[in-house]
Amino acid sequence: MEDHNTANLSEPTSPAASVASAEIAAEFAALSVEEKEQRRAEWSQELARVEEEINTLRTVLASKTRHASDLKRKLGITVWKEVTDDMNQGLKNIKESTVYQSVEQSVESFTKAVHEAPLYQRTESVLKSTGEKTASVFGSITSGISSKLSQMKNSESMRSIEASVGSAYENVKALSHVVRWRSH
């Protein structure tokens, strides 16, 4: 049974811890049955005291946390404000870091090199020229459409349609007055 208990000890994480665990296990194995039971009873009592202290600390911590929350509420400090402040501070720390500044300088150098490259200059020139030509074409198309609409508006057909619509409107208006007059 005692070999079973020593086998349940957690695995050591380093060679020094392994040696220490082996020494403790050897010392414990060398004890008499009464001494082992006495040690276990002492350890159990100490464990109970430590767990009681942990629970007391958790209770005190919860009480202090509630008190801090009440004070923050009274001061108008919201969770959102705290998160925002924390994020702003984090961003500030990042921007002030040497890594960020180094990356920023590298990006600036790369951007400058791309803008100064002959291929970029030619591409930019072609795109600018294409944009200007496209704007010119669209300008002439809209000018032509406006001219045609103006001609249509001044045509005899359009004047005839306007006169017919105006006459129909006047007839409907007059008819509605007659209907209203008869309904009274």
Side-chain angles (χ1 to χ4, degrees), residues 97-171:
S97 73
T98 55
V99 172
Y100 177 85
Q101 292 184 7
S102 173
V103 168
E104 187 177 39
Q105 288 174 351
S106 297
V107 168
E108 286 175 3
S109 298
F110 178 76
T111 303
K112 184 178 179 186
V114 166
H115 283 285
E116 292 174 353
L119 177 62
Y120 177 84
Q121 297 294 327
R122 285 193 305 267
T123 304
E124 182 182 38
S125 174
V126 167
L127 289 175
K128 188 175 182 182
S129 173
T130 303
E132 289 170 354
K133 288 176 183 175
T134 304
S136 173
V137 167
F138 279 125
S140 64
I141 289 173
T142 56
S143 174
I145 291 173
S146 295
S147 172
K148 291 293 182 189
L149 286 175
S150 179
Q151 289 174 4
M152 276 179 49
K153 185 177 177 186
N154 294 327
S155 73
E156 248 342 280
S157 306
M158 188 58 100
R159 285 190 191 135
S160 172
I161 291 171
E162 284 177 349
S164 297
V165 169
S167 173
Y169 173 74
E170 291 299 323
N171 289 339

Coordinates of all heavy atoms in Angstrom, one line a residue, residues 97-171:
S97 N 7.1 51.0 -28.5 CA 8.1 49.9 -28.5 C 9.0 50.0 -29.7 O 8.7 50.6 -30.7 CB 7.3 48.6 -28.5 OG 6.8 48.3 -29.8
T98 N 10.2 49.5 -29.4 CA 11.3 49.6 -30.5 C 10.9 48.7 -31.6 O 11.2 49.0 -32.8 CB 12.6 49.2 -29.9 OG1 12.5 47.9 -29.3 CG2 13.1 50.2 -28.9
V99 N 10.2 47.6 -31.4 CA 9.9 46.7 -32.5 C 8.9 47.4 -33.4 O 9.1 47.3 -34.6 CB 9.2 45.4 -31.9 CG1 8.6 44.5 -33.0 CG2 10.2 44.6 -31.1
Y100 N 7.9 48.0 -32.8 CA 6.9 48.8 -33.7 C 7.6 49.8 -34.5 O 7.3 50.0 -35.7 CB 5.8 49.4 -32.8 CG 4.8 50.2 -33.5 CD1 3.7 49.6 -34.1 CD2 4.9 51.6 -33.7 CE1 2.8 50.3 -34.8 CE2 4.0 52.3 -34.4 CZ 2.9 51.7 -35.0 OH 2.0 52.4 -35.7
Q101 N 8.5 50.6 -33.9 CA 9.1 51.7 -34.6 C 10.0 51.2 -35.6 O 10.2 51.7 -36.7 CB 9.9 52.6 -33.6 CG 8.9 53.4 -32.7 CD 9.5 54.3 -31.7 OE1 10.7 54.6 -31.8 NE2 8.7 54.9 -30.9
S102 N 10.7 50.0 -35.4 CA 11.5 49.4 -36.4 C 10.7 48.9 -37.6 O 11.1 49.2 -38.7 CB 12.3 48.2 -35.8 OG 13.0 47.5 -36.7
V103 N 9.6 48.3 -37.3 CA 8.7 47.9 -38.4 C 8.2 49.1 -39.2 O 8.1 49.0 -40.4 CB 7.5 47.0 -37.8 CG1 6.4 46.8 -38.9 CG2 8.0 45.7 -37.3
E104 N 7.8 50.1 -38.5 CA 7.3 51.3 -39.1 C 8.3 51.9 -40.1 O 8.0 52.3 -41.2 CB 6.8 52.4 -38.1 CG 6.2 53.6 -38.6 CD 5.7 54.5 -37.6 OE1 6.4 54.7 -36.6 OE2 4.6 55.1 -37.7
Q105 N 9.6 52.0 -39.6 CA 10.6 52.5 -40.5 C 10.9 51.6 -41.7 O 11.1 52.1 -42.8 CB 11.9 52.6 -39.7 CG 11.9 53.7 -38.7 CD 13.2 53.7 -37.8 OE1 14.0 52.8 -37.8 NE2 13.3 54.8 -37.0
S106 N 10.8 50.3 -41.5 CA 10.9 49.3 -42.6 C 9.8 49.5 -43.6 O 10.1 49.5 -44.8 CB 10.9 47.9 -42.1 OG 12.0 47.7 -41.2
V107 N 8.6 49.7 -43.1 CA 7.5 49.9 -44.1 C 7.6 51.2 -44.8 O 7.4 51.3 -46.0 CB 6.1 49.9 -43.3 CG1 5.0 50.4 -44.2 CG2 5.8 48.5 -42.8
E108 N 8.1 52.3 -44.1 CA 8.3 53.6 -44.8 C 9.4 53.4 -45.9 O 9.2 53.9 -47.0 CB 8.7 54.6 -43.8 CG 7.5 55.1 -42.9 CD 7.9 56.1 -41.8 OE1 9.1 56.5 -41.8 OE2 7.1 56.5 -41.0
S109 N 10.4 52.7 -45.6 CA 11.5 52.5 -46.5 C 11.0 51.7 -47.7 O 11.3 52.1 -48.9 CB 12.7 51.8 -45.9 OG 13.2 52.5 -44.8
F110 N 10.3 50.7 -47.5 CA 9.7 49.9 -48.6 C 8.8 50.7 -49.4 O 8.9 50.6 -50.7 CB 9.0 48.7 -48.0 CG 8.3 47.8 -49.0 CD1 9.1 46.9 -49.8 CD2 6.9 47.8 -49.2 CE1 8.5 46.1 -50.7 CE2 6.4 47.0 -50.2 CZ 7.1 46.2 -50.9
T111 N 7.9 51.5 -48.8 CA 7.0 52.3 -49.5 C 7.7 53.3 -50.4 O 7.4 53.5 -51.6 CB 6.0 53.1 -48.6 OG1 5.3 52.1 -47.8 CG2 5.0 53.9 -49.3
K112 N 8.7 53.9 -49.9 CA 9.5 54.9 -50.6 C 10.2 54.2 -51.8 O 10.2 54.8 -52.9 CB 10.6 55.5 -49.7 CG 11.4 56.6 -50.4 CD 12.3 57.3 -49.4 CE 13.2 58.3 -50.1 NZ 14.2 58.9 -49.2
A113 N 10.7 53.0 -51.6 CA 11.4 52.3 -52.7 C 10.4 52.0 -53.8 O 10.8 52.1 -54.9 CB 12.1 51.0 -52.1
V114 N 9.2 51.5 -53.4 CA 8.2 51.2 -54.4 C 7.8 52.4 -55.2 O 7.7 52.4 -56.4 CB 7.0 50.6 -53.7 CG1 5.8 50.5 -54.7 CG2 7.3 49.2 -53.2
H115 N 7.6 53.6 -54.5 CA 7.2 54.8 -55.2 C 8.3 55.3 -56.1 O 8.0 55.9 -57.2 CB 6.8 55.9 -54.2 CG 5.4 55.7 -53.6 ND1 4.3 55.9 -54.3 CD2 5.0 55.2 -52.4 CE1 3.2 55.6 -53.6 NE2 3.7 55.2 -52.4
E116 N 9.5 55.1 -55.8 CA 10.6 55.5 -56.6 C 11.0 54.6 -57.7 O 11.8 54.9 -58.6 CB 11.8 55.8 -55.7 CG 11.6 57.0 -54.8 CD 12.7 57.3 -53.8 OE1 13.7 56.4 -53.8 OE2 12.7 58.3 -53.1
A117 N 10.4 53.4 -57.7 CA 10.8 52.4 -58.7 C 10.3 52.8 -60.1 O 9.2 53.3 -60.2 CB 10.2 51.0 -58.3
P118 N 11.1 52.6 -61.2 CA 10.6 53.0 -62.5 C 9.3 52.3 -62.9 O 8.5 53.0 -63.6 CB 11.8 52.5 -63.4 CG 13.0 52.4 -62.5 CD 12.4 52.1 -61.2
L119 N 9.1 51.1 -62.6 CA 7.9 50.4 -63.0 C 6.7 51.1 -62.4 O 5.7 51.3 -63.0 CB 8.0 48.9 -62.5 CG 6.7 48.1 -62.8 CD1 6.5 48.0 -64.3 CD2 6.9 46.7 -62.2
Y120 N 6.8 51.4 -61.1 CA 5.7 52.1 -60.4 C 5.4 53.5 -61.1 O 4.3 53.8 -61.3 CB 6.0 52.3 -58.9 CG 4.9 53.1 -58.2 CD1 3.8 52.4 -57.7 CD2 5.0 54.5 -58.0 CE1 2.8 53.1 -57.0 CE2 4.0 55.2 -57.3 CZ 2.9 54.5 -56.8 OH 2.0 55.2 -56.2
Q121 N 6.5 54.2 -61.4 CA 6.3 55.5 -62.0 C 5.6 55.4 -63.4 O 4.7 56.1 -63.7 CB 7.7 56.2 -62.2 CG 8.4 56.5 -61.0 CD 7.7 57.5 -60.1 OE1 7.1 58.4 -60.6 NE2 7.9 57.4 -58.8
R122 N 6.0 54.4 -64.2 CA 5.3 54.2 -65.5 C 3.9 53.8 -65.3 O 3.0 54.2 -66.0 CB 6.1 53.1 -66.3 CG 7.4 53.6 -66.9 CD 7.9 52.6 -67.9 NE 8.1 51.3 -67.4 CZ 9.3 50.8 -66.9 NH1 10.3 51.6 -66.8 NH2 9.3 49.5 -66.5
T123 N 3.6 52.8 -64.4 CA 2.2 52.4 -64.1 C 1.4 53.5 -63.6 O 0.2 53.7 -64.1 CB 2.2 51.3 -63.0 OG1 3.1 50.2 -63.5 CG2 0.8 50.7 -62.8
E124 N 1.9 54.4 -62.7 CA 1.2 55.5 -62.3 C 0.8 56.5 -63.4 O -0.3 57.0 -63.5 CB 2.0 56.2 -61.2 CG 1.2 57.4 -60.6 CD 2.0 58.2 -59.5 OE1 3.3 58.3 -59.7 OE2 1.5 58.6 -58.6
S125 N 1.8 56.7 -64.3 CA 1.6 57.6 -65.4 C 0.5 57.0 -66.4 O -0.3 57.8 -66.8 CB 2.9 57.7 -66.2 OG 2.8 58.5 -67.3
V126 N 0.6 55.7 -66.7 CA -0.4 55.1 -67.5 C -1.8 55.2 -66.9 O -2.8 55.6 -67.6 CB 0.0 53.6 -67.8 CG1 -1.2 52.9 -68.5 CG2 1.2 53.6 -68.7
L127 N -1.9 54.9 -65.6 CA -3.2 55.0 -65.0 C -3.8 56.4 -65.0 O -5.0 56.6 -65.2 CB -3.1 54.5 -63.5 CG -2.9 53.0 -63.4 CD1 -2.7 52.6 -61.9 CD2 -4.1 52.2 -64.0
K128 N -2.9 57.4 -64.8 CA -3.3 58.8 -64.7 C -3.8 59.2 -66.1 O -4.9 59.8 -66.3 CB -2.2 59.7 -64.3 CG -2.5 61.1 -64.1 CD -1.4 61.9 -63.5 CE -1.7 63.3 -63.2 NZ -0.6 64.1 -62.7
S129 N -3.1 58.8 -67.1 CA -3.5 59.1 -68.5 C -4.8 58.5 -68.9 O -5.7 59.1 -69.5 CB -2.3 58.7 -69.5 OG -2.7 58.8 -70.8
T130 N -4.9 57.2 -68.5 CA -6.2 56.5 -68.8 C -7.3 57.1 -68.1 O -8.4 57.3 -68.7 CB -6.0 55.0 -68.3 OG1 -4.9 54.4 -69.0 CG2 -7.3 54.2 -68.6
G131 N -7.1 57.5 -66.9 CA -8.2 58.2 -66.1 C -8.6 59.5 -66.8 O -9.8 59.8 -66.9
E132 N -7.7 60.3 -67.3 CA -8.0 61.5 -67.9 C -8.7 61.3 -69.2 O -9.7 62.0 -69.5 CB -6.7 62.3 -68.2 CG -6.0 62.9 -67.0 CD -4.6 63.4 -67.2 OE1 -4.1 63.3 -68.3 OE2 -4.1 64.0 -66.3
K133 N -8.3 60.3 -70.0 CA -9.0 60.0 -71.3 C -10.4 59.5 -71.0 O -11.3 59.8 -71.7 CB -8.2 58.9 -72.1 CG -6.9 59.4 -72.6 CD -6.1 58.4 -73.3 CE -4.8 58.9 -73.8 NZ -4.0 57.9 -74.4
T134 N -10.6 58.6 -70.0 CA -11.9 58.1 -69.6 C -12.8 59.3 -69.2 O -14.0 59.4 -69.7 CB -11.8 57.1 -68.5 OG1 -10.9 56.1 -68.9 CG2 -13.2 56.5 -68.1
A135 N -12.3 60.2 -68.4 CA -13.1 61.4 -68.0 C -13.5 62.2 -69.2 O -14.6 62.7 -69.3 CB -12.3 62.2 -67.0
S136 N -12.6 62.3 -70.2 CA -12.9 63.1 -71.4 C -14.0 62.4 -72.2 O -14.9 63.1 -72.7 CB -11.6 63.2 -72.2 OG -11.9 63.8 -73.5
V137 N -13.9 61.1 -72.4 CA -14.9 60.4 -73.1 C -16.3 60.5 -72.4 O -17.3 60.8 -73.1 CB -14.5 58.9 -73.3 CG1 -15.7 58.1 -73.8 CG2 -13.3 58.8 -74.2
F138 N -16.3 60.3 -71.1 CA -17.6 60.5 -70.4 C -18.1 61.9 -70.5 O -19.3 62.1 -70.6 CB -17.5 60.0 -68.9 CG -17.5 58.6 -68.7 CD1 -16.5 57.9 -68.1 CD2 -18.6 57.8 -69.2 CE1 -16.5 56.5 -67.9 CE2 -18.6 56.4 -69.0 CZ -17.6 55.8 -68.4
G139 N -17.2 62.9 -70.5 CA -17.7 64.3 -70.6 C -18.3 64.5 -72.0 O -19.4 65.2 -72.0
S140 N -17.7 64.0 -73.0 CA -18.3 64.2 -74.3 C -19.6 63.4 -74.5 O -20.6 63.9 -75.1 CB -17.3 63.8 -75.4 OG -17.0 62.5 -75.4
I141 N -19.7 62.3 -73.9 CA -21.0 61.5 -74.0 C -22.1 62.2 -73.3 O -23.2 62.4 -73.8 CB -20.8 60.1 -73.4 CG1 -19.9 59.2 -74.3 CG2 -22.2 59.4 -73.1 CD1 -19.6 57.9 -73.7
T142 N -21.9 62.7 -72.0 CA -22.9 63.4 -71.3 C -23.2 64.7 -72.0 O -24.4 65.2 -72.0 CB -22.5 63.7 -69.8 OG1 -21.2 64.4 -69.8 CG2 -22.3 62.4 -69.0
S143 N -22.3 65.4 -72.6 CA -22.5 66.6 -73.3 C -23.4 66.3 -74.5 O -24.4 67.1 -74.8 CB -21.2 67.2 -73.8 OG -21.5 68.3 -74.7
G144 N -23.2 65.2 -75.2 CA -24.0 64.8 -76.4 C -25.4 64.5 -75.9 O -26.4 64.9 -76.6
I145 N -25.6 63.8 -74.8 CA -26.9 63.5 -74.3 C -27.7 64.7 -73.9 O -28.9 64.9 -74.3 CB -26.8 62.5 -73.1 CG1 -26.3 61.1 -73.6 CG2 -28.1 62.3 -72.4 CD1 -26.0 60.1 -72.5
S146 N -27.0 65.6 -73.2 CA -27.6 66.9 -72.9 C -28.1 67.7 -74.1 O -29.2 68.2 -74.1 CB -26.7 67.8 -72.0 OG -26.4 67.2 -70.8
S147 N -27.3 67.7 -75.1 CA -27.7 68.4 -76.4 C -28.9 67.8 -77.0 O -29.8 68.5 -77.4 CB -26.5 68.4 -77.3 OG -26.8 68.9 -78.6
K148 N -28.9 66.4 -77.1 CA -30.1 65.7 -77.7 C -31.3 66.0 -76.9 O -32.4 66.2 -77.5 CB -29.8 64.2 -77.8 CG -28.7 63.9 -78.8 CD -29.2 64.2 -80.2 CE -28.1 63.7 -81.2 NZ -28.4 64.2 -82.5
L149 N -31.2 66.0 -75.5 CA -32.4 66.2 -74.7 C -32.9 67.6 -74.9 O -34.1 67.9 -75.0 CB -32.1 66.0 -73.2 CG -31.9 64.5 -72.8 CD1 -31.5 64.4 -71.3 CD2 -33.3 63.7 -73.0
S150 N -32.0 68.6 -75.1 CA -32.4 70.0 -75.3 C -33.1 70.1 -76.6 O -34.1 70.8 -76.8 CB -31.2 70.9 -75.2 OG -31.5 72.2 -75.5
Q151 N -32.6 69.4 -77.6 CA -33.2 69.5 -79.0 C -34.6 68.9 -78.9 O -35.6 69.4 -79.5 CB -32.4 68.7 -80.0 CG -31.1 69.4 -80.4 CD -30.2 68.6 -81.3 OE1 -30.6 67.5 -81.7 NE2 -29.0 69.1 -81.6
M152 N -34.7 67.7 -78.2 CA -36.0 67.1 -78.1 C -37.0 68.0 -77.4 O -38.2 68.1 -77.8 CB -35.9 65.8 -77.3 CG -35.5 64.6 -78.1 SD -35.3 63.1 -77.1 CE -36.8 63.0 -76.2
K153 N -36.6 68.7 -76.3 CA -37.5 69.6 -75.6 C -38.0 70.7 -76.5 O -39.2 71.1 -76.3 CB -36.7 70.1 -74.4 CG -37.6 70.9 -73.5 CD -36.8 71.4 -72.3 CE -37.7 72.3 -71.4 NZ -36.9 72.9 -70.3
N154 N -37.2 71.2 -77.3 CA -37.6 72.3 -78.2 C -38.3 71.8 -79.5 O -38.7 72.7 -80.3 CB -36.4 73.2 -78.5 CG -35.8 73.9 -77.3 OD1 -36.6 74.2 -76.4 ND2 -34.5 74.0 -77.2
S155 N -38.4 70.5 -79.7 CA -39.0 70.0 -80.9 C -40.6 70.2 -80.9 O -41.2 70.4 -79.9 CB -38.7 68.6 -81.1 OG -39.4 67.8 -80.2
E156 N -41.1 70.2 -82.1 CA -42.6 70.4 -82.3 C -43.3 69.2 -81.6 O -44.4 69.5 -81.0 CB -42.9 70.4 -83.8 CG -43.4 71.6 -84.5 CD -44.0 72.7 -83.6 OE1 -45.2 72.6 -83.2 OE2 -43.3 73.7 -83.4
S157 N -42.8 68.0 -81.7 CA -43.5 66.9 -81.1 C -43.6 67.0 -79.6 O -44.7 66.8 -79.0 CB -42.7 65.6 -81.4 OG -42.4 65.4 -82.7
M158 N -42.5 67.5 -79.0 CA -42.6 67.6 -77.5 C -43.6 68.8 -77.1 O -44.3 68.6 -76.1 CB -41.2 68.0 -77.0 CG -41.1 67.9 -75.5 SD -41.6 66.4 -74.8 CE -40.1 65.6 -74.5
R159 N -43.6 69.8 -77.9 CA -44.5 70.9 -77.6 C -46.0 70.4 -77.7 O -46.8 70.8 -77.0 CB -44.3 72.1 -78.5 CG -43.0 72.9 -78.2 CD -42.9 74.2 -78.9 NE -41.6 74.7 -78.7 CZ -40.8 75.2 -79.7 NH1 -41.3 75.2 -80.9 NH2 -39.7 75.7 -79.4
S160 N -46.2 69.6 -78.7 CA -47.5 69.1 -79.0 C -47.9 68.2 -77.8 O -49.1 68.2 -77.3 CB -47.6 68.3 -80.3 OG -48.8 67.6 -80.4
I161 N -47.0 67.3 -77.3 CA -47.3 66.4 -76.2 C -47.5 67.3 -74.9 O -48.5 67.0 -74.2 CB -46.1 65.5 -75.9 CG1 -46.0 64.5 -77.1 CG2 -46.2 64.8 -74.6 CD1 -44.8 63.6 -77.1
E162 N -46.7 68.3 -74.7 CA -46.9 69.2 -73.5 C -48.3 69.8 -73.6 O -49.0 69.9 -72.6 CB -45.8 70.3 -73.5 CG -44.5 69.8 -73.0 CD -43.5 70.9 -73.1 OE1 -43.7 72.0 -73.6 OE2 -42.4 70.7 -72.5
A163 N -48.7 70.3 -74.7 CA -50.0 71.0 -74.9 C -51.1 70.0 -74.6 O -52.1 70.3 -73.9 CB -50.2 71.5 -76.3
S164 N -51.0 68.7 -75.1 CA -52.0 67.7 -74.9 C -52.1 67.3 -73.4 O -53.2 67.2 -72.9 CB -51.7 66.4 -75.7 OG -51.7 66.7 -77.1
V165 N -51.0 67.2 -72.8 CA -51.0 66.9 -71.3 C -51.6 68.0 -70.5 O -52.4 67.8 -69.6 CB -49.6 66.5 -70.8 CG1 -49.5 66.4 -69.3 CG2 -49.1 65.2 -71.4
G166 N -51.2 69.2 -70.9 CA -51.8 70.4 -70.2 C -53.3 70.5 -70.4 O -54.0 70.8 -69.4
S167 N -53.8 70.2 -71.6 CA -55.2 70.3 -71.9 C -55.9 69.2 -71.1 O -57.0 69.4 -70.5 CB -55.4 70.1 -73.4 OG -56.8 70.0 -73.7
A168 N -55.3 68.0 -71.1 CA -56.0 66.9 -70.3 C -56.0 67.2 -68.8 O -57.0 67.0 -68.2 CB -55.2 65.6 -70.6
Y169 N -55.0 67.8 -68.3 CA -55.0 68.2 -66.9 C -56.1 69.2 -66.6 O -56.8 69.1 -65.6 CB -53.6 68.8 -66.6 CG -53.5 69.4 -65.2 CD1 -53.5 68.5 -64.1 CD2 -53.5 70.7 -64.9 CE1 -53.4 69.0 -62.8 CE2 -53.5 71.3 -63.7 CZ -53.5 70.4 -62.6 OH -53.4 70.9 -61.3
E170 N -56.2 70.2 -67.5 CA -57.3 71.2 -67.3 C -58.7 70.6 -67.4 O -59.6 70.9 -66.6 CB -57.1 72.3 -68.3 CG -55.9 73.2 -68.1 CD -55.9 73.9 -66.8 OE1 -57.0 74.4 -66.3 OE2 -54.8 74.1 -66.2
N171 N -58.9 69.6 -68.3 CA -60.2 68.9 -68.4 C -60.5 68.1 -67.1 O -61.6 68.2 -66.6 CB -60.2 68.0 -69.6 CG -60.2 68.8 -70.9 OD1 -60.6 70.0 -70.9 ND2 -59.8 68.2 -72.0

